[in-house]
Amino acid sequence: MDKSITVNGAKVHYADNGEGKPIVLMHGWGCDTTTLASIEKVALESHRVINIDFPGHGKSPEPPEVWGVEEYTQVLEEIV
C-alpha cells in the first residue's frame, strides 16, 4: 500500500506491504523505491516490507531546504 508522511516540511512517499517481521529498504543516492523492487518482491514472500522514497527521490519531492544526515534519519524514525 502506498503511503506518505510529512517530516520537517517534506512529504515522503513509501510503500508498506506484506506480513511478518518487518524489513526496511533504503535506496542509495540518486535512486528510489524502484531500485529495490526485486529485493522487495522476494522479501514480500515472508516479511512486511517498507520501501522508502527519501525526499528528493522517486515520488518524494525535494525537501524545503538542504538536508543532512539528521533530517534523513528523522524520516526513517517517523516511518518506523
Side-chain angles (χ1 to χ4, degrees):
M1 171 182 290
D2 283 352
K3 297 182 176 185
S4 66
I5 188 171
T6 300
V7 180
N8 294 330
K11 185 175 181 180
V12 181
H13 166 267
Y14 65 100
D16 186 348
N17 297 297
E19 295 181 13
K21 291 185 179 181
I23 294 176
V24 179
L25 301 179
M26 299 177 288
H27 60 77
W29 201 254
C31 300
D32 59 29
T33 56
T34 62
T35 306
L36 301 171
S38 61
I39 296 169
E40 180 179 16
K41 182 179 178 181
V42 173
L44 281 171
E45 294 174 9
S46 58
H47 290 80
R48 174 183 174 200
V49 180
I50 301 167
N51 194 354
I52 304 168
D53 264 339
F54 283 106
H57 300 86
K59 295 179 183 176
S60 297
E62 292 283 336
E65 55 194 31
V66 176
W67 277 21
V69 172
E70 182 63 32
E71 290 82 7
Y72 286 99
T73 302
Q74 288 172 359
V75 167
L76 180 60
E77 291 172 344
E78 288 294 320
I79 291 174
V80 173

